[in-house]
Amino acid sequence: MLAIKLISLLLACVVLFSVVPASGQDPLASWNEGAAKRAILEFVRVTTDKDSPKVVPPAERIATFDQDGTLWVEHPMYTQVVYCLERVPAVVKAKPELKEVEPFKTVLSSDRAAIAKLSLKDLEAIMAATLSGMTVDEFRADVRQWLATAKHPRWNRPYTELTYLPMQELLKYLRAHGYKTFIVTGGGQDFVRAYAEAVYGIPPEQVIGTMGETKYGYDKSGRPTLTKEPKLLLNDNDSGKPEGIHLMIGRRPYAAFGNTAGDRQMLEYTGAGDGARLMMLVLHDDARREYAYGPARDLPDTKVGAFSKELMAEAQQRGWHIISMKAAWKRVFAFEPIEP
Amino acid sequence: MLAIKLISLLLACVVLFSVVPASGQDPLASWNEGAAKRAILEFVRVTTDKDSPKVVPPAERIATFDQDGTLWVEHPMYTQVVYCLERVPAVVKAKPELKEVEPFKTVLSSDRAAIAKLSLKDLEAIMAATLSGMTVDEFRADVRQWLATAKHPRWNRPYTELTYLPMQELLKYLRAHGYKTFIVTGGGQDFVRAYAEAVYGIPPEQVIGTMGETKYGYDKSGRPTLTKEPKLLLNDNDSGKPEGIHLMIGRRPYAAFGNTAGDRQMLEYTGAGDGARLMMLVLHDDARREYAYGPARDLPDTKVGAFSKELMAEAQQRGWHIISMKAAWKRVFAFEPIEP
């Protein structure tokens, strides 16, 4: 009898320990108590508690995250744009005829003011030239090599350290509750895949981004290769986000996180599903710890990182939650000291 | 002391039962002993035994499967082509102007001989018309409804029952060893996604197929929609298979399974990676239990389901394994009686 009781007790312990985290461990420790944190906890509870009427089957637990400005710093320039600009000398070395051609000439001049004034069309030309022509393996290796040494001008740290600690906690918290986490970025899909697994624990097949064609072929030794082509398949911004989600996942997300008007359609599409859905926007309103480029500045929707009055109005109308960096986050970066 | 011993024993039992399958359970019970089965067992052993020098990290364990002719029957016609032909009356009802236009006129005539003679271009026109114009949700519902009643002419059973039992066992066996299984099909991505989870346990985000564009918009009530467009994004056949794999997964598979020349590049790409790789081709040489359209019939590469002399020669040269249905499979379908 003692033995049977002990076995029952032991089994009970096994069950308990596998469900309840050690006491005192807050999975969202870098979040201040408040509306944003409550919304996350409540969403996870109602969609994963098996007795909840809104429980979501594990296979359907999909959460999508914009990257730049949502998971890591996007100012003063997208990391990928910095990479492309710094890659121009190598491209011109391989194709000397570009040396005197704009916008490459301006980039080579190192005239920061002129570079800052490059148009979207100029940047697209630079991106097309610097993100194609190599095999996918060569590209991945080059991005990783660049990221190992490149540093953000303000913090003088690798870009990969500039992820938001509260969002890293959120990714882990959702995964611990059976959610598959996807990045849905306007950035290049292959660029983000080069580091997403190491930086966020998100494997390449869960990174959706702006996609270019590749071309299958053979190198001189007859070995199969995939070469990056300068042809766009899908621009993963705005309407391209739900389109990219359908293309790559084929299911509607239950939760979606963004920070600009480019994420609007992804949040709309997510919110149009049945049952409990969570839509959140990171509001950059903390110039001291990061940047403030929220609606206070009233930037137009088309500007990088803009969070317009229109977006704020739609968020309020549709019940999207605003994550004020200043109010919601106890710490922004993992390297920051813990404030009292 | 007794209590402690019991606890140790109990823990030992828990560990044992969670690792070792019940004795006598062969995970590949429908496979005859032979070269094909040995190749599978050996590949899984060397890539998943943590003491093996060729062990593959769990996150990189990717296996890709062609569908038609590799996982289920593709004769006498691809299931999706049957679906598209049967959908023509509904399309013509919505667009009466197509009634007198070829190839729709021929399809409506129900003249089987004439329908069988439709060209690839005709079929493409039919597929473009029948696979677009509706929302992705409407399309999924329609495919599921059709599959619930449509039957294969030879077996008079739903198409979804005509999957190969040995391949179903293989999918499960690989997944039990940490492999993520993907379908990489020339068929329509949205079409296969409508049933792949129920039929193979493969979720939509692990189905790669021929991809068309979708367009984000709003219905009359303002609800966001994704509508299927008649514009091709990627033809997931031949070179399109490794290109689609890179687009959707971003990693090279460790194992790839196909049955025709359309899978050649996928197998080449898989085999070009380092370490242990497994490439296999199903050879249809069993007219009694399924069909025989292997190299014996000497069909050209371009013909549906063809397995040419050239493909067989490449397989031998590159060390791809041939799965002879006749020799390698004890049972072909789950509904078949077990033969002595």
Side-chain angles (χ1 to χ4, degrees):
Chain A
M1 278 304 284
L2 173 68
I4 291 171
K5 273 190 188 162
L6 268 167
I7 289 170
S8 305
L9 187 68
L10 184 65
L11 281 176
C13 286
V14 168
V15 171
L16 271 176
F17 277 112
S18 61
V19 174
V20 181
S23 68
Q25 273 189 344
D26 179 354
L28 300 177
S30 300
W31 292 73
N32 285 314
E33 301 307 320
K37 184 172 181 173
R38 269 200 310 277
I40 295 166
L41 294 171
E42 178 65 8
F43 167 77
V44 169
R45 191 188 65 73
V46 300
T47 59
T48 65
D49 178 344
K50 67 176 172 35
D51 296 325
S52 159
K54 291 184 177 170
V55 67
V56 176
E60 293 176 27
R61 293 181 194 163
I62 304 284
T64 55
F65 290 80
D66 169 56
Q67 187 193 218
D68 295 297
T70 299
L71 294 178
W72 77 356
V73 173
E74 66 181 349
H75 270 224
M77 209 182 258
Y78 291 137
T79 307
Q80 184 178 351
V81 173
V82 182
Y83 168 80
C84 290
L85 292 173
E86 294 192 7
R87 235 190 147 263
V88 165
V91 168
V92 172
K93 201 178 167 189
K95 292 185 187 171
E97 67 272 20
L98 294 177
K99 202 172 175 178
E100 298 299 323
V101 178
E102 289 298 355
F104 304 97
K105 196 178 167 185
T106 294
V107 177
L108 291 170
S109 74
S110 301
D111 176 347
R112 279 167 177 261
I115 292 170
K117 275 183 201 150
L118 289 173
S119 69
L120 188 61
K121 208 176 147 226
D122 289 334
L123 286 177
E124 281 172 357
I126 291 164
M127 290 171 82
T130 54
L131 299 174
S132 66
M134 69 295 283
T135 70
V136 296
D137 295 334
E138 287 163 356
F139 178 71
R140 188 191 302 114
D142 193 73
V143 172
R144 287 181 179 170
Q145 195 177 9
W146 182 80
L147 282 171
T149 54
K151 286 182 177 168
H152 189 282
R154 174 166 163 186
W155 287 276
N156 197 34
R157 287 176 179 274
Y159 290 94
T160 50
E161 288 185 18
L162 297 175
T163 67
Y164 306 132
L165 181 60
M167 297 306 282
Q168 290 274 19
E169 291 173 355
L170 177 55
L171 286 169
K172 284 180 194 144
Y173 180 62
L174 287 169
R175 291 198 289 256
H177 286 80
Y179 275 90
K180 241 184 182 173
T181 53
F182 287 77
I183 289 175
V184 179
T185 174
Q189 185 165 284
D190 286 342
F191 185 80
V192 179
R193 281 174 168 176
Y195 57 81
E197 194 157 32
V199 172
Y200 304 111
I202 295 180
E205 64 268 27
Q206 286 164 226
V207 174
I208 303 167
T210 293
M211 308 161 202
E213 277 193 11
T214 58
K215 196 173 166 57
Y216 182 79
Y218 305 88
D219 66 14
K220 282 172 199 160
S221 66
R223 200 165 178 268
T225 53
L226 282 172
T227 305
K228 287 174 71 63
E229 297 285 298
K231 196 180 161 198
L232 187 72
L233 269 182
L234 186 132
N235 177 353
D236 198 47
N237 277 299
D238 308 305
S239 294
K241 292 211 171 191
E243 291 163 6
I245 286 170
H246 178 72
L247 181 69
M248 302 285 287
I249 310 179
R251 291 194 210 267
R252 193 191 301 266
Y254 273 83
F257 305 87
N259 77 306
T260 64
D263 302 309
R264 186 168 68 84
Q265 290 87 342
M266 173 169 75
L267 269 64
E268 287 175 355
Y269 181 62
T270 302
D274 300 329
R277 309 270 165 170
L278 180 66
M279 286 71 63
M280 303 188 93
L281 289 167
V282 174
L283 176 64
H284 295 261
D285 58 359
D286 193 336
R288 185 177 64 81
R289 297 189 299 176
E290 203 244 11
Y291 294 99
Y293 50 96
R297 278 176 144 206
D298 205 14
L299 296 167
D301 259 9
T302 48
K303 186 93 182 169
V304 165
F307 191 131
S308 65
K309 279 181 182 168
E310 288 71 22
L311 182 62
M312 186 61 99
E314 180 168 355
Q316 279 162 352
Q317 185 225 318
R318 294 189 187 266
W320 300 346
H321 300 269
I322 304 298
I323 302 170
S324 153
M325 292 183 83
K326 205 168 177 177
W329 291 353
K330 211 173 277 178
R331 287 167 79 195
V332 174
F333 302 111
F335 56 78
E336 267 177 14
I338 299 175
E339 296 185 23
Chain B
M1 278 304 283
L2 172 68
I4 291 171
K5 273 190 189 162
L6 268 168
I7 289 171
S8 306
L9 186 70
L10 184 66
L11 280 176
C13 288
V14 168
V15 170
L16 272 176
F17 278 112
S18 60
V19 174
V20 181
S23 69
Q25 273 190 345
D26 179 355
L28 300 177
S30 301
W31 292 73
N32 285 315
E33 301 308 319
K37 184 171 180 174
R38 270 199 310 277
I40 295 166
L41 293 171
E42 177 63 9
F43 167 78
V44 169
R45 192 188 62 75
V46 301
T47 59
T48 64
D49 177 345
K50 66 176 173 33
D51 297 324
S52 158
K54 291 183 177 172
V55 66
V56 175
E60 293 176 25
R61 294 181 194 163
I62 305 284
T64 55
F65 291 80
D66 169 56
Q67 188 195 218
D68 295 297
T70 299
L71 294 178
W72 77 359
V73 173
E74 67 181 348
H75 269 224
M77 210 182 256
Y78 291 135
T79 307
Q80 185 178 350
V81 174
V82 182
Y83 168 80
C84 290
L85 291 174
E86 294 193 7
R87 237 190 145 262
V88 165
V91 169
V92 172
K93 199 176 168 191
K95 290 185 188 171
E97 67 273 21
L98 294 177
K99 202 172 176 178
E100 298 299 322
V101 177
E102 289 296 356
F104 303 98
K105 196 178 167 185
T106 294
V107 177
L108 291 171
S109 74
S110 300
D111 176 347
R112 278 168 176 259
I115 292 170
K117 277 184 201 150
L118 289 172
S119 70
L120 187 62
K121 208 175 148 230
D122 289 334
L123 287 177
E124 282 172 358
I126 291 164
M127 291 171 82
T130 54
L131 300 174
S132 67
M134 69 294 283
T135 70
V136 298
D137 296 333
E138 288 163 354
F139 178 72
R140 187 191 301 114
D142 193 72
V143 172
R144 287 181 179 171
Q145 196 177 7
W146 181 80
L147 283 171
T149 54
K151 286 183 177 167
H152 190 282
R154 174 166 163 185
W155 287 276
N156 197 32
R157 285 175 180 274
Y159 290 94
T160 49
E161 288 185 19
L162 296 175
T163 68
Y164 307 131
L165 181 60
M167 298 306 282
Q168 290 274 19
E169 289 173 356
L170 177 56
L171 286 168
K172 283 180 195 143
Y173 180 62
L174 288 169
R175 291 199 289 257
H177 286 80
Y179 276 89
K180 240 183 181 173
T181 53
F182 288 77
I183 289 175
V184 180
T185 175
Q189 185 164 283
D190 285 341
F191 185 79
V192 179
R193 280 173 168 176
Y195 56 82
E197 193 157 32
V199 172
Y200 305 111
I202 295 180
E205 64 268 28
Q206 286 164 226
V207 174
I208 303 168
T210 293
M211 308 162 202
E213 276 193 13
T214 58
K215 195 172 166 56
Y216 182 80
Y218 306 88
D219 66 15
K220 283 172 197 161
S221 66
R223 200 167 178 267
T225 53
L226 282 173
T227 304
K228 287 174 71 64
E229 297 285 298
K231 197 181 159 196
L232 186 72
L233 268 182
L234 186 130
N235 177 351
D236 198 47
N237 276 300
D238 307 305
S239 295
K241 290 212 172 189
E243 291 163 7
I245 287 169
H246 179 72
L247 180 70
M248 302 285 287
I249 310 179
R251 292 194 209 266
R252 192 192 301 265
Y254 273 83
F257 305 86
N259 77 306
T260 64
D263 302 309
R264 187 167 69 83
Q265 290 87 342
M266 174 169 75
L267 269 64
E268 287 175 356
Y269 181 63
T270 302
D274 299 329
R277 308 272 166 170
L278 180 67
M279 287 70 64
M280 304 188 92
L281 288 168
V282 174
L283 177 65
H284 295 261
D285 57 1
D286 193 335
R288 185 175 65 81
R289 297 189 299 177
E290 204 243 12
Y291 294 99
Y293 51 95
R297 280 179 146 202
D298 205 15
L299 296 166
D301 258 12
T302 48
K303 187 92 181 171
V304 165
F307 193 130
S308 66
K309 280 182 181 167
E310 289 70 25
L311 183 62
M312 186 62 98
E314 180 168 354
Q316 278 162 354
Q317 186 225 320
R318 295 189 187 265
W320 299 346
H321 298 270
I322 305 297
I323 302 171
S324 153
M325 292 183 81
K326 205 168 177 176
W329 291 354
K330 209 174 280 179
R331 287 167 78 195
V332 174
F333 301 110
F335 56 78
E336 267 177 13
I338 299 175
E339 295 184 24

